[in-house]
Amino acid sequence: MLGEHRYALRTTWTGDRGTGTSGYRDYDRAVTVAVAGKPDLLASADKPFRGDPAKWNPEDLLLAALSECHLLSYLHACVSAGVVVVDYVDEASGVMVEDGRGGGAFREVVLRPRVTVADASMVEAAEAAHAQANAWCFIANSVNFPVRHEAVVVAR
């Protein structure tokens, strides 16, 4: 399945409080992200950047994309290896560092999947499947910081 895949969405700023961006504290960081055929995602900046902590922010979305991409790639790798996964939960975390000039970057992300497989004979192959999943994950292959894995695999 080689090919080029295109994605599109609309991001709309909804935070005009009546004076636009007349000052740094004069506007809300509210954003609506829309993809055709999907529910809208209400987003904002993170709280330290004057955003609404109850809404998704770009940093949350990047971490979520890495976690979900690894999960989906991992399930594929397990099917290919004959491993039956019956449960998967990831407690992912990331560290972003500000550069003092108004920008910054993620330093690393750590994925901590806890995987349950159907039989103890599958544990070794299930552990090895994380390396394959990392190689297949489009999102992890698109970032310039390490995405580490601290996986735990147990048998049902």
Side-chain angles (χ1 to χ4, degrees):
M1 184 173 71
L2 295 176
E4 184 173 284
H5 306 272
R6 296 181 183 270
Y7 302 90
L9 57 80
R10 173 179 287 144
T11 304
T12 305
W13 173 55
T14 58
D16 183 1
R17 294 178 179 155
T19 60
T21 58
S22 58
Y24 186 70
R25 291 173 171 32
D26 296 339
Y27 62 96
D28 194 310
R29 276 58 176 177
V31 172
T32 300
V33 181
V35 174
K38 298 178 184 180
D40 286 352
L41 179 67
L42 302 181
S44 182
D46 196 9
K47 184 177 181 178
F49 309 109
R50 306 194 55 77
D52 181 345
K55 295 180 180 176
W56 287 87
N57 62 60
E59 297 81 13
D60 293 333
L61 294 168
L62 177 61
L63 185 60
L66 286 162
S67 179
E68 182 182 359
C69 187
H70 184 80
L71 181 155
L72 295 171
S73 299
Y74 179 77
L75 296 178
H76 179 186
C78 284
V79 167
S80 298
V83 173
V84 178
V85 174
V86 296
D87 193 48
Y88 183 115
V89 177
D90 183 14
E91 298 289 339
S93 63
V95 177
M96 186 190 75
V97 180
E98 292 182 70
D99 64 12
R101 298 182 309 265
F106 270 81
R107 181 181 337 160
E108 76 169 350
V109 162
V110 180
L111 305 179
R112 294 179 182 88
R114 180 169 175 82
V115 180
T116 305
V117 296
D119 187 82
S121 65
M122 300 174 178
V123 169
E124 187 176 334
E127 291 171 342
H130 283 287
Q132 182 63 64
N134 188 59
W136 284 344
C137 177
F138 302 128
I139 308 303
N141 289 317
S142 299
V143 298
N144 65 351
F145 53 84
V147 179
R148 295 190 303 107
H149 307 92
E150 296 176 359
V152 174
V153 179
V154 298
R156 176 168 53 181

